[in-house]
Amino acid sequence: MKSKNLHHDNAILAQPGKKHKVSDFDPSYKAGLGGKDDGLLLLEQNVNEMIELQEKLYAHNRYSVLLIFQAMDAAGKDGTIKHVMSGLNPQGCEVYSFKAPSAAELDHDYMWRTNRCLPERGRFGIFNRSYYEEVLVVKVHPEFLMAQNLPGIKNTANVTKKFWQSRYRQINDLEKHLTENGTVVLKFFLNVSKEEQKKRFLERIDDPAKNWKFSSNDVKEREHWDEYMKAYSEMLTATSTEYAPWYVIPADRKWFMRYAVSNIIIHRLKELKLAFPVLAESEQQKLEEARQMLLSE
Ligand code: ATP
Ligand code: MG
């Protein structure tokens, strides 16, 4: 089965420079694919292709790849990371999860904790949540900002539209800097519907093997669904750029979500034209000498 290039599919790509609303993207879109069996087959092919591309990325040693995952609870960040990255060499890939900031983290600017975890050249870095929380959960709960001791922010009345515009600009500046210096920034918003989230929460409650995944706080956050969707929409509009666009991944079908993420990673990596380094003539001469030495032992 032929794999199509989803990175140009406007049902998934949040086109840079356009106004976006989450509700314009369909959480159950499947890009004309049949069903789960097709998706699993394509995912398997993509995972194999990623193994090859990872080797090249490492040998080429000019780029690193940062994968950012953002989503509402139970959209499937963990499962997607697990399945899509399953074949990769652990030496060339690191996953970081960002939760509510610690006291030490609050004592620094909000990008400090993520900047320390950026991938080395030749490697994949995966952010399970990221600095985007600072324009999502923090935008829904501006009172969280008080713990950050920012200049000019004494109460929530100080948190104006202009404040958020500055944050979007700071994020775009960072991503431009990273991109210009060889980090490919791929941003995935796993877009689950409210109905599907409810279904998955209920499964977590009903199935003892899934109870550990459930937190009653998640149901409380769900009450802010509309505010979150507004924050996500504003994030897509402000931070989907030519150099680091957002991909809105339909998340109601887990098989499609995993396939779509792998598809986009592969197509973006292929654009880099990664190649194994070719040795200079003098180095090739040395290889030949080494061959002769070994053979004449
Ligand atoms: P996840 O919810 O990602 O599957 P988890 O359930 O293991 O992981 P939680 O303890 O729920 O982990 O931590 C994630 C929570 O941390 C989310 O509610 C998220 O919004 C919050 N969080 C992350 N970054 C920030 C931030 N910068 N400020 C405030 N809250 C944050
Ligand atoms: Mg959680």
Side-chain angles (χ1 to χ4, degrees), residues 3-16:
S3 156
K4 98 189 223 198
N5 187 349
L6 297 180
H7 137 59
H8 295 300
D9 187 333
N10 286 337
I12 292 183
L13 172 73
Q15 284 186 340

Side-chain angles (χ1 to χ4, degrees), residues 51-266:
I51 295 172
E52 269 176 51
L53 284 164
Q54 184 190 21
E55 256 188 71
K56 279 195 187 152
L57 180 76
Y58 191 85
H60 192 77
N61 203 29
R62 297 209 171 250
Y63 295 102
S64 54
V65 182
L66 175 62
L67 307 175
I68 293 180
F69 290 91
Q70 288 292 158
M72 295 298 282
D73 288 306
K77 287 184 276 106
D78 292 351
T80 301
I81 293 169
K82 180 168 128 188
H83 283 87
V84 174
M85 311 313 281
S86 60
L88 295 191
N89 179 348
Q91 290 210 64
C93 175
E94 271 181 286
V95 186
Y96 296 93
S97 297
F98 297 99
K99 318 237 180 222
S102 67
E105 287 166 350
L106 286 170
D107 271 340
H108 295 83
D109 78 276
Y110 69 94
M111 286 181 181
W112 177 74
R113 63 174 181 167
T114 41
N115 279 342
R116 307 164 88 204
C117 302
L118 290 168
E120 288 165 66
R121 224 174 281 290
R123 293 172 199 243
F124 283 97
I126 299 166
F127 285 0
N128 184 345
R129 304 185 185 273
S130 66
Y131 44 81
Y132 278 102
E133 292 292 325
E134 293 286 336
V135 293
L136 294 167
V137 66
V138 179
K139 201 167 188 183
V140 173
H141 301 282
E143 65 278 11
F144 288 178
L145 278 171
M146 301 312 129
Q148 298 189 11
N149 270 354
L150 293 169
I153 307 291
K154 292 210 185 77
N155 51 55
T156 49
N158 302 137
V159 187
T160 57
K161 202 170 168 208
K162 200 165 148 221
F163 173 85
W164 298 114
Q165 290 305 330
S166 314
R167 281 218 158 163
Y168 295 134
R169 195 229 338 119
Q170 290 152 11
I171 289 175
N172 288 341
D173 285 350
L174 169 80
E175 292 177 352
K176 187 152 205 262
H177 167 81
L178 291 175
T179 309
E180 287 177 353
N181 285 282
T183 298
V184 179
V185 183
L186 302 181
K187 310 187 293 198
F188 300 103
F189 163 42
L190 308 183
N191 182 26
V192 75
S193 67
K194 198 177 180 192
E195 301 70 52
E196 181 65 22
Q197 188 197 54
K198 181 175 177 176
K199 212 175 115 212
R200 293 187 191 168
F201 279 169
L202 287 171
E203 274 168 22
R204 289 177 177 189
I205 293 170
D206 293 340
D207 180 351
K210 288 187 180 170
N211 281 174
W212 64 275
K213 289 191 195 174
F214 184 74
S215 146
S216 48
N217 201 43
D218 292 351
V219 175
K220 266 195 3 226
E221 273 319 275
R222 180 178 160 83
E223 290 179 7
H224 297 285
W225 185 274
D226 292 346
E227 294 150 74
Y228 271 104
M229 291 308 112
K230 188 163 179 276
Y232 272 107
S233 301
E234 287 161 354
M235 173 198 81
L236 294 175
T237 301
T239 64
S240 198
T241 55
E242 293 292 342
Y243 46 91
W246 272 104
Y247 300 105
V248 183
I249 306 292
D252 278 8
R253 293 183 170 92
K254 286 183 182 171
W255 63 265
F256 183 77
M257 163 168 56
R258 293 166 187 172
Y259 157 68
V261 169
S262 70
N263 176 292
I264 289 165
I265 297 173
I266 285 180

